[in-house]
Amino acid sequence: MESLLNTGKPGSSEARAVLEAMMEGIAVLEGEKYRWMNGHHAAMYGWRPDELIGKTWRELYVPAEQQWIERHAFPELQARGTWRGDVVGRKKDGTPTEVEISLALSPNGTLICCCRDIKDRKSTRLTSHITISYAVFCLKKK
């Protein structure tokens, strides 16, 4: 992990394998540009890692969402060193994607981003809510 924080790339082949196998997307940024990311991070937005390395995080968000991140996430990130929240990303084909991102600043200023697709979680929550509402409705009818 120390190598990841210092160079933006996992040090050992074992570390790389672990980071690639994780279900969450992981990316390392220097300034606004991606230095490294696992396949899950890129795939969540419809890209391959090699297509995003060297590009800015802004590629993945529409201007309004970029501004929201700058106004809400970055101030807390600077003050506390971490931030977590839900955002709406933009896939390569332009379609929106709901993701939860966790941001952390390393001691040397490297930005670590972990993200996960929350579309299924929100869909499950909505389905549960609809099921419960329907059950309550049916009970009231009796």
Side-chain angles (χ1 to χ4, degrees):
M1 187 58 134
E2 187 65 30
S3 174
L4 178 64
L5 297 178
N6 291 330
T7 67
K9 295 185 179 180
S12 70
S13 59
E14 184 176 319
R16 280 191 295 276
V18 167
L19 292 171
E20 284 295 337
M22 294 184 73
M23 297 295 291
E24 287 81 16
I26 301 171
V28 178
L29 296 92
E30 184 173 334
E32 292 197 353
K33 294 185 178 181
Y34 290 107
R35 285 195 335 199
W36 179 87
M37 71 177 58
N38 68 2
H40 290 289
H41 189 284
M44 207 171 298
Y45 295 92
W47 297 79
R48 292 186 326 266
D50 63 301
E51 294 176 300
L52 289 171
I53 300 302
K55 293 193 177 178
T56 175
W57 62 270
R58 295 172 185 282
E59 289 282 328
L60 305 181
Y61 301 95
V62 297
E65 196 73 2
Q66 294 171 21
Q67 292 172 358
W68 189 93
I69 292 167
E70 290 171 334
R71 282 195 307 263
H72 295 91
F74 286 172
E76 186 174 329
L77 178 65
Q78 290 299 320
R80 296 184 180 170
T82 61
W83 180 83
R84 181 190 324 193
D86 296 351
V87 295
V88 178
R90 175 180 55 190
K91 291 187 175 189
K92 185 178 181 179
D93 66 6
T95 60
T97 183
E98 295 178 79
V99 294
E100 175 187 66
I101 58 173
S102 297
L103 302 175
L105 283 175
S106 73
N108 67 359
T110 299
L111 178 62
I112 310 293
C113 175
C114 297
C115 60
R116 69 176 52 143
D117 186 330
I118 58 173
K119 176 183 62 194
D120 292 337
R121 182 181 78 194
K122 286 192 170 191
S123 176
T124 300
R125 189 179 304 153
L126 178 61
T127 301
S128 296
H129 178 73
I130 291 169
T131 302
I132 290 168
S133 296
Y134 181 71
V136 169
F137 172 76
C138 290
L139 288 173
K140 286 182 178 180
K141 285 183 75 175
K142 287 185 176 187

